[in-house]
Amino acid sequence: MKNAWEPFATQLIGSGYACSAEKQEGVYQDSLVVNAEAALFLTRTQSGKKLIVLGRKESSLFTDIVAEETGNILDVPYKVAALSHPNAVTMRNYFPFMKPVPFGRESFSMGLGDRLGIASPGHLRCLKGTQIRPVLAQQSIRELTLTERTYKDVLDAASWAVLQEGFHEGFGADGDHLKKPEEVKMALDLGYSMITLDCSEKIDNTVNALSASEVAQQYAKLAPALKQEMESEYLGKTFLVGKIPITFDAESLQRTVLTYGATLAFIKEIHTTFIAPRAAEIDFELSIDETETPTTAEAHYFMAAEMKKAGIELTSVAPRFCGEFQKAIDYIGDLAQFEAEFVVHSAIADHFGYRLSIHSGSDKFKVFPIIGKYTGGRVHVKTAGTNWLEALRVVCRVDPGFFRKICAHSRMRFPDAAKFYHVTTDLKKIPDAETLPDAALERMLNEEDARQLLHITYGYILTDKDAQGAPLFRERLYQLWDENEDAYADVLIKHIGHHVKTLKSLMNKG
Ligand code: ZN
């Protein structure tokens, strides 16, 4: 759309000057958007990023934007506005590309959760021009608590990032690992386009350790009607997924029903109450990955079949794969076994029409070729917040002394953080940052044990305070990242680019 203000806005952008009494530090060239009555773009000032609006004073968009400063430049009315929540809401109403959208069951998408609220520009620059759809907002409740952010902040940061980068192809927002009804409601009310329902608390992991006779005893106690229904549908039957047979004998059926029975009721309740009544389409993902019990072929098939029977259309499912998907390091486990099981999980997903979702996908370079090969790119891969480590890489390069202090604090906080994450970090293998020369300091971000240490302690680094109650690191960190925005985008392009390349390496060759 063209309007009277666009040429003027373009002229201002070109000259790098964009109104405001404050000193300008540059304009985001790709951020220009126009509607019938206004032209808008983003600029950098000494007090952060601002939205500039030029347009007809009486127009609704011009009026709706809450300004910090108003004036005229060469007789054109302008407003300088903060990137606030009310302004984000207004902008999403006028410019729908700033709203998250569902990606459905066919796409290749990546979850690129942005813990700090500053990583999305780099992620977008990396994925621009690829077929991969970005889920920019992806935060679990645990991550929110650790970073002292809200779902509003997370979504707004994503919306402003797509505006800044001129990315109009659509992004997703994932309420990740939600476990409670009120969390699902909150994410949907804010406009999140995806819900990842975490069923881990409903899965009975004790069944795994029971003998066949103990399983039979427990199963015998279930309601007769339930047993009858399950047996008539599954017992002794063989189901073909692609060319792969999946058979339920008495023991495998009993184990599956005992392990996942409570999970089914929970998913149905959430779906009926929150997902089904919404007019808008929602990507609905089932996560059974954060549990001790690896998902068997029978269990995966059973869950999918029960969902289909209940009329629940899943967009994606995250099974618990064999081996370990620990944070920020490569896959640990038997690759041949992983491949053999992945083929089956992938066939089940294809059979029911949804996509597999791979969680904790950061740095899992050993398994990416397998994932690419069998899914052909019809898959969702969630990266696990390693953009935080890349942000520390910028700190390490720009201010090594400050980075050493962070390393020391992280080591002190490790015992607290290790309670929340399953990691095998060996502190003895981590070099002492104090003794490393500047040139060798990035070892802290390249070696597995050091990476895990800095990865899982992020909440403490961001929120710990000194005796006077002032943040130890947070303010200096954000200032440093703000001053080095392009350097941060560049390390992310390299980091995520490596993921994309490896995922695509065997695609279409399977
Ligand atoms: Zn997960």
Side-chain angles (χ1 to χ4, degrees):
M1 194 185 293
K2 295 265 173 199
N3 71 18
W5 294 278
E6 189 186 1
F8 186 57
T10 309
Q11 199 186 330
L12 286 180
I13 291 171
S15 67
Y17 176 79
C19 327
S20 175
E22 271 192 87
K23 190 177 165 289
Q24 303 290 303
E25 292 184 340
V27 175
Y28 292 96
Q29 307 276 340
D30 298 326
S31 65
L32 177 67
V33 285
V34 295
N35 80 350
E37 302 190 295
L40 306 90
F41 56 90
L42 292 179
T43 180
R44 285 178 66 88
T45 73
Q46 281 167 318
S47 55
K49 296 177 186 178
K50 303 287 174 187
L51 176 69
I52 307 292
V53 192
L54 304 164
R56 200 165 63 81
K57 237 179 180 164
E58 302 74 30
S59 72
S60 58
L61 173 55
F62 196 93
T63 313
D64 288 350
I65 293 289
V66 182
E68 291 180 335
E69 180 192 327
T70 52
N72 287 287
I73 178 165
L74 301 175
D75 288 337
V76 175
Y78 73 81
K79 275 184 170 179
V80 179
L83 307 195
S84 63
H85 178 65
N87 285 339
V89 172
T90 299
M91 289 296 282
R92 284 194 283 264
N93 284 336
Y94 286 91
F95 301 100
F97 74 87
M98 290 177 71
K99 272 185 204 172
V101 288
F103 291 147
R105 301 172 114 195
E106 299 303 323
S107 54
F108 183 1
S109 53
M110 274 181 92
L112 297 155
D114 175 6
R115 286 189 176 158
L116 302 167
I118 55 172
S120 290
H123 289 149
L124 289 168
R125 287 177 209 179
C126 184
L127 292 194
K128 214 169 190 177
T130 70
Q131 297 299 308
I132 305 173
R133 323 286 315 266
V135 177
L136 297 177
Q138 170 199 286
Q139 217 82 319
S140 67
I141 300 295
R142 177 178 65 190
E143 286 165 341
L144 284 186
T145 317
L146 287 173
T147 52
E148 295 178 350
R149 297 174 76 209
T150 67
Y151 261 28
K152 265 185 204 166
D153 301 338
V154 172
L155 180 57
D156 291 351
S159 289
W160 293 120
V162 292
L163 177 68
Q164 176 183 316
E165 296 300 314
F167 187 89
H168 297 193
E169 291 109 273
F171 72 98
D174 179 7
D176 196 14
H177 277 288
L178 301 184
K179 296 179 181 176
K180 300 194 178 101
E182 60 270 26
E183 295 167 355
V184 173
K185 181 176 187 306
M186 182 261 299
L188 290 173
D189 286 348
L190 283 168
Y192 276 60
S193 55
M194 174 170 178
I195 295 295
T196 298
L197 188 64
D198 182 327
C199 307
S200 56
E201 285 171 5
K202 308 289 174 186
I203 296 172
D204 187 348
N205 286 307
T206 61
V207 180
N208 214 7
L210 301 181
S211 69
S213 64
E214 286 167 330
V215 165
Q217 275 172 24
Q218 293 241 0
Y219 179 80
K221 294 180 204 156
L222 296 179
L226 175 69
K227 285 186 287 189
Q228 200 184 16
E229 184 191 339
M230 294 294 118
E231 285 163 20
S232 75
E233 276 175 51
Y234 298 99
L235 186 58
K237 295 207 173 146
T238 297
F239 302 91
L240 270 187
V241 290
K243 290 183 183 131
I244 302 166
I246 292 175
T247 306
F248 290 85
D249 60 20
E251 189 189 340
S252 68
L253 178 61
Q254 290 169 359
R255 276 191 191 278
T256 305
V257 172
L258 287 174
T259 309
Y260 297 95
T263 313
L264 292 175
F266 173 62
I267 303 164
K268 286 177 194 168
E269 189 198 314
I270 293 285
H271 188 269
T272 314
T273 317
F274 301 107
I275 311 282
R278 303 258 159 183
E281 212 171 296
I282 306 289
D283 284 336
F284 188 45
E285 173 167 316
L286 203 60
S287 124
I288 47 177
D289 67 308
E290 290 209 350
T291 164
E292 291 154 32
T293 313
T295 314
T296 62
E298 293 82 17
H300 187 172
Y301 185 91
F302 172 81
M303 294 294 284
E306 287 296 309
M307 288 302 107
K308 194 179 173 196
K309 194 166 85 186
I312 296 173
E313 181 159 305
L314 300 170
T315 312
S316 44
V317 170
R320 160 80 158 83
F321 296 106
C322 62
E324 292 194 29
F325 280 68
Q326 290 190 20
K327 302 285 175 191
I329 62 171
D330 210 330
Y331 176 74
I332 301 171
D334 180 340
L335 275 182
Q337 188 195 353
F338 177 85
E339 180 163 7
E341 294 186 12
F342 191 84
V343 173
V344 182
H345 286 304
S346 181
I348 296 171
D350 285 345
H351 179 82
F352 288 97
Y354 53 75
R355 296 185 285 151
L356 285 181
S357 176
I358 319 295
H359 288 201
S360 299
S362 286
D363 301 273
K364 302 301 178 291
F365 300 109
K366 287 182 195 159
V367 295
F368 285 162
I370 298 171
I371 292 167
K373 180 176 168 185
Y374 292 103
T375 63
R378 212 173 63 80
V379 68
H380 183 56
V381 177
K382 295 191 185 189
T383 60
T386 40
N387 49 71
W388 153 249
L389 289 176
E390 294 310 306
L392 286 182
R393 193 180 299 283
V394 177
V395 178
C396 176
R397 288 176 187 173
V398 173
D399 191 345
F402 184 53
F403 180 69
R404 286 192 186 89
K405 284 188 194 139
I406 291 171
C407 291
H409 191 74
S410 160
R411 199 180 265 270
M412 189 190 82
R413 276 302 212 163
F414 177 76
D416 305 306
K419 287 178 203 150
F420 299 101
Y421 290 94
H422 171 65
V423 287
T424 49
T425 319
D426 184 353
L427 289 181
K428 290 194 288 299
K429 285 191 191 158
I430 302 175
D432 180 0
E434 285 304 324
T435 64
L436 287 177
D438 290 0
L441 205 49
E442 272 190 58
R443 278 181 61 192
M444 298 298 296
L445 295 160
N446 297 335
E447 295 174 10
E448 290 201 338
D449 292 276
R451 275 178 77 77
Q452 280 196 322
L453 167 70
L454 288 169
H455 187 78
I456 67 167
T457 50
Y458 72 98
Y460 302 105
I461 298 169
L462 285 171
T463 58
D464 276 355
K465 309 203 169 41
D466 65 17
Q468 284 73 46
L472 281 173
F473 305 109
R474 190 187 184 100
E475 277 164 25
R476 167 75 186 127
L477 278 172
Y478 270 94
Q479 183 199 0
L480 190 151
W481 289 323
D482 186 53
E483 288 164 3
N484 295 277
E485 188 180 23
D486 285 333
Y488 183 38
D490 289 342
V491 293
L492 286 175
I493 291 169
K494 193 169 170 223
H495 178 63
I496 297 299
H498 188 27
H499 287 67
V500 171
K501 221 175 111 196
T502 322
L503 274 165
K504 284 189 161 178
S505 63
L506 290 182
M507 213 177 274
N508 308 321
K509 288 185 194 159

